């Protein structure tokens, strides 16, 4: 096991994978907390699923089986997208903790476009997406179903604010990193993160390619987020729906602005709405959507 253990938390699409890749460039840094061996998988049940299910149904059943095993492991070593928390194993390992956060409106646009772990069809508009119930993963440590995807952000953001004090009480270093700052300067913010966690010295080189295959490279992401192009997906009703599920104090404490619905149009330009519907529809069928870990 690596001498320096870093536990990274962050909602989907907040840069957790990319930050982990940068920090792993440092010597003797790992990202797994020592945990008891997971219970043996039920081979007979998995074999029955493989033989009796087809297509999207087989994928869904296998995913549920593996999520159950991951949830048991998460009792010691939480999933990176779980509600941020400490475990006795993390404390025993002296793990450094990083919590990544992202602008809630930008994050919702990103999740609508890439709805990792969605169960059921995607919506056709951002407004409708914000209104659909969301079934969580067991390893997420949340209610089985929440009323809106926005609740994922809201609950985890509140936990991200509370975690540094809890970590300090256990003698653990904890660093919070905004996704937007990370995109603007990946190597610099990763180095600052390493310093805050007292990780070994070493060169950290930014990656120009995205850690997710087929996604935009660093320069494109920097342009997109510095200009806040995601605002072009927002309407008055979508912003109002998001605001209804957010705590303004939490939003501002994380360094973000609480948006005013009146600053956005009632409807999107026809070409933007059509492009949005097409992109979201392309991810609608479960058989054609990956369920990454």
């Amino acid at each position: 096991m690596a001498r320096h253990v870093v536990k990274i938390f962050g909602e989907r699409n907040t840069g957790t994978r990319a930050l982990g890749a940068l920090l792993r460039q440092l010597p003797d840094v790992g990202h797994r907390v020592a945990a008891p061996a997971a219970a043996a998988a039920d081979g007979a049940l998995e074999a029955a699923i493989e033989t009796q299910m087809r297509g999207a149904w087989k994928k869904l059943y296998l995913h549920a089986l593996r999520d159950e095993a991951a949830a048991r492991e998460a009792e010691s070593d939480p999933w990176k997208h779980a509600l941020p928390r400490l475990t006795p194993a993390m404390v025993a390992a002296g793990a450094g903790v990083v919590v990544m956060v992202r602008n809630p409106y930008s994050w919702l646009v990103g999740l609508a476009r890439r709805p990792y772990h969605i169960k059921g069809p995607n919506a056709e508009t951002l407004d409708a997406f914000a209104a659909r119930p969301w079934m969580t993963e067991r390893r997420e440590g949340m209610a089985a179903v929440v009323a809106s995807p926005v609740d994922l952000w809201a609950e985890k953001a509140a936990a991200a604010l509370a975690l540094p004090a809890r970590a300090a009480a256990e003698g653990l270093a904890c660093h919070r990193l905004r996704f937007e700052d990370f995109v603007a300067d990946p190597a610099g913010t990763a180095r600052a993160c390493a310093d805050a966690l007292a990780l070994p010295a070493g060169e950290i080189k930014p990656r120009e390619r995205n850690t997710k295959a087929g996604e935009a490279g660093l320069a494109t992401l920097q342009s997109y987020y510095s200009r806040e192009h995601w605002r072009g997906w927002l309407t008055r009703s979508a912003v109002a729906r998001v605001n209804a599920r957010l705590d303004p104090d939490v939003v501002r404490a994380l360094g973000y602005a609480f948006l005013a619905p009146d600053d956005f149009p009632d409807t999107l330009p026809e070409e933007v709405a059509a492009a949005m519907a097409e992109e979201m529809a392309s991810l609608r069928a479960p058989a054609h959507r990956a369920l990454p870990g």
Side-chain angles (χ1 to χ4, degrees):
M1 178 179 173
R3 187 164 60 90
H4 301 275
V5 179
V6 177
K7 190 67 196 178
I8 301 175
F9 288 106
E11 236 310 306
R12 299 155 180 85
N13 304 313
T14 59
T16 55
R17 184 196 303 235
L19 177 64
L22 295 184
L23 293 181
R24 279 194 293 273
Q25 295 179 27
L26 299 175
D28 207 19
V29 171
H31 299 280
R32 297 304 306 269
V33 177
D42 187 336
L45 180 55
E46 184 165 350
I49 294 170
E50 289 281 5
T51 57
Q52 297 180 36
M53 300 288 179
R54 295 290 184 273
W57 287 112
K58 180 168 78 171
K59 181 178 291 187
L60 186 63
Y61 271 74
L62 289 175
H63 179 71
L65 196 64
R66 290 159 188 167
D67 187 39
E68 168 69 22
R72 291 195 297 270
E73 183 181 358
E75 291 302 312
S76 296
D77 192 7
W79 186 37
K80 65 180 182 178
H81 297 320
L83 195 73
R85 64 187 179 93
L86 303 181
T87 66
M90 290 171 62
V91 175
V97 184
V98 182
V99 184
M100 302 194 73
V101 296
R102 178 173 170 176
N103 181 294
Y105 307 94
S106 159
W107 171 82
L108 186 68
V109 170
L111 186 65
R113 299 175 68 188
R114 299 290 184 272
Y116 298 121
H117 310 108
I118 194 172
K119 311 297 191 299
N122 200 357
E124 294 184 357
T125 67
L126 189 66
D127 195 0
F129 183 73
R132 80 182 298 283
W134 182 277
M135 185 184 297
T136 68
E137 303 290 291
R138 286 201 60 179
R139 52 192 158 151
E140 225 156 336
M142 296 179 61
V145 179
V146 293
S148 164
V150 181
D151 294 350
L152 298 173
W153 189 97
E155 292 191 33
K156 293 176 186 179
L161 282 177
L163 195 62
R166 294 173 183 168
E170 296 289 354
L172 302 182
C174 183
H175 183 71
R176 194 163 59 236
L177 177 58
R178 298 197 325 163
F179 169 79
E180 295 78 13
D181 298 331
F182 177 61
V183 170
D185 183 9
T189 52
R191 183 69 260 172
C193 179
D195 292 343
L197 302 184
L199 299 182
E203 184 179 8
I204 297 179
K205 298 179 180 179
R207 297 171 55 116
E208 296 301 321
R209 291 186 177 182
N210 200 306
T211 54
K212 295 180 180 178
E215 298 290 337
L218 178 58
T220 300
L221 291 176
Q222 288 174 330
S223 175
Y224 180 88
Y225 290 107
S226 67
R227 292 172 170 78
E228 296 189 334
H229 286 310
W230 47 266
R231 285 175 175 262
W233 282 55
L234 301 178
T235 60
R236 183 192 307 267
S237 59
V239 172
R241 195 178 295 280
V242 173
N243 287 356
R245 309 202 71 82
L246 296 179
D247 182 336
D249 293 335
V250 171
V251 173
R252 294 178 182 123
L254 293 176
Y256 298 114
F258 203 68
L259 299 184
D262 288 347
D263 291 341
F264 295 87
D266 288 324
T267 59
L268 297 177
E270 184 175 343
E271 64 275 13
V272 174
M276 180 191 304
E278 181 179 1
E279 183 168 8
M280 294 175 71
S282 70
L283 301 173
R284 188 176 300 163
H288 298 99
R289 183 169 57 249
L291 291 169

